[in-house]
Amino acid sequence: MPAHTTHDASRDGTDGARDGSATAPDTEAPAETTAPARTKESSEAVAPAEAVAPAGTTAPATNAVAPVKAVAPAEAVAPLLRGIAVLRRLTEAPGGTLSLSALEKTTGLARSTVDRLTATLARMGYVRLDGRDVTLAPRLMELGNAYLAALRLPALLSTRADELADELDESVSLAVGDRDGIRFIHQATRRRAMSLSFRIGDLLPAERTAPGPLFAAEWTDPDWHRWRCRRAADPADHTFPAIPPSEHVTPDEDFTLRTARAAADDYALDDQLIEPGLVALSVPVRDPGTGRVACVASVVSHTSRHTAADLRTALLPRLRAAVAAMEDDLRTAPPPEPGPPRAGLATWTGASKQELGREFVESLARGLTVLTAFGEGRSALTLTQVARATGLARATARRALITLGHEGLLAPAPDHTFTLTPRVLSLGFPPLSRTSLPEIAQPHLTALADRIHESTSLAVLSESGEEIQYTARASTTRVLSARVTVGARLPARATALGHVLLALPEARTQGYALVDEELEAGLRSLAVPVRDRTGRVVAAVNVAMHAARRTAAACRTDILPELSRTATHIEADLSVAGRFVHVPLT
């Protein structure tokens, strides 16, 4: 359970205690009215070192790498702490889904508090509420996208990693250091029966990986102390859900020796440290300006293909060549052009509070909004810049920064600025990074079918271009309805979906296709395209019905607006999910 703060939790629109939460006041005073007055100069430094600690300091760590949860500073925003706890519990859950009662149990929060927090996250599009279940939603990935965009490494280096994976026919990953662990920022995996299950955002203990010793070669004494404390508290690595627990805990000296060897060799090997059969070879990618490790590139395989020694002998020269090209890319990359920050966020949260009342926890929404102020060209921001980008009052932004720093999601940087940390990826990114287009579309199709009481489907074009393949659908309760199973294929030219995917003249001109009884007598179908973030048509959605229920004109006036709105929602989620992750179409 998140540590209680000393300020009145009810000010932030949620419960302060488990008992009596049903009657707790829900008025939400502006955060700026409760913060101590500060001068402009002093208020840029928003928190003491223990509240916003950069990686590599002695401040207590949070989440998987800390044996003891640090006490939240007095000015931390309690609902934001609780909302972050909810997102982390969902991230750790199978499929990113937990029931409301399970969230109540795992977070230690009152049920009414959980209800309001999840209602707020649902309003933001970060979770879906399905009866008693709460599920992570693709829109949540915008938080991790903010970190990855600010970092720039995935955008600059992922193509090189993908090319190396294709050349070697092995999985290739990029990872950054996250205190005494490593966190993946890019994965180029091979499709095999024996394949890797690591995801972007997964956190691994440094000592059980190949990249770990390369990062540890730059650790300070406090870093090593933190690592030993974590090892003592969790020797079997139960707090790292991405890997199986350690069956044989190796002595600390083994990792220190591997670190010394990695520092001398400028590469490192993982010989089945994570689990039997898994081997990896890693080389550091160094920042051209500082010479420090920016990230680590790894080739990952299994012992039926390569031994660890074979990886070093056969693949080390090629991996080093790829890393040299990556470092050249970093050296020659032009300065980032800052894109415009999202506008109207503070106005949106205020309007949502007006509409939903006590069910919307405004301080939680505002706090998470601060993370989205960062991005490409906005990797380090002052308090003033955060307030300007979000539209929040400085005092409100300041308390959010204190809270996010306590949670390890951001860290202070030079010139009174702040930067996001890799831990932002712990907020839903790992499970959502494996989301497919059908999974993205399914809740939108279900909502559409419920509104119009007709069957809806998603389809893609087959490789031959002659057929469409249904990949998701939502049916209606009518006695007479279009029934097509997922996976079924139909001739593209006889369906509205096919007309859109083939970009036939009428579909290209109108932006939709209406097909009357071409596939089957009595069947009328209306379809519109689904585009990815580049504008390319990757799929289509349709509504199919018996021709007697609606005329063609009624389909255009009644159904087309709803269908187009559904496609827009799917495209919005796909755009967020596909920014740094390949989203499978089937």
Side-chain angles (χ1 to χ4, degrees), residues 142 145-152 335-343 345 369-382 385-386 388-390 417-420 579:
E142 72 179 9
N145 286 346
Y147 164 73
L148 295 173
L151 184 67
R152 294 193 77 201
E337 290 290 337
R342 295 172 59 188
L345 290 167
T369 289
V370 167
L371 297 175
T372 67
F374 296 82
E376 186 170 6
R378 304 192 306 276
S379 60
L381 299 176
T382 65
Q385 290 170 328
V386 169
R388 185 183 302 123
T390 58
T417 63
F418 301 87
T419 62
L420 299 183
R579 185 172 182 185

Side-chain angles (χ1 to χ4, degrees), residues 106 119 172 206 222 226 281 323 338 370 372 403 409 451 461 494 517 569:
T106 58
V172 173
R226 180 189 297 109
L281 172 69
V323 165
V370 167
T372 67
T403 309
L409 299 173
R451 289 197 304 271
L461 200 61
E517 305 184 75
H569 292 325

Side-chain angles (χ1 to χ4, degrees), residues 471-502:
T471 57
R473 71 181 307 273
S475 60
T476 182
T477 55
R478 290 184 182 275
V479 175
L480 184 62
S481 62
R483 299 188 183 276
V484 181
T485 60
V486 172
R489 296 188 176 217
L490 294 175
R493 291 187 173 274
T495 64
L497 290 162
H499 285 206
V500 168
L501 292 169
L502 291 171

Side-chain angles (χ1 to χ4, degrees), residues 26 163 168 198 222 269 337 344 353 355 396-397 484:
D26 198 48
E163 289 172 349
L168 302 180
F198 293 137
L269 284 170
E337 290 290 337
K353 183 66 175 178
E355 181 180 341
T396 304
V484 181

Side-chain angles (χ1 to χ4, degrees), residues 272-325:
Q272 306 180 77
L273 293 170
I274 292 177
E275 67 178 14
L278 183 66
V279 291
L281 172 69
S282 295
V283 170
V285 180
R286 298 191 180 275
D287 185 310
T290 66
R292 293 179 62 83
V293 178
C295 68
V296 169
S298 303
V299 177
V300 187
S301 188
H302 50 84
T303 51
S304 59
R305 292 176 59 83
H306 295 282
T307 65
D310 183 34
L311 275 181
R312 179 181 58 230
T313 303
L315 303 186
L316 181 57
R318 185 63 196 92
L319 177 56
R320 278 187 162 150
V323 165

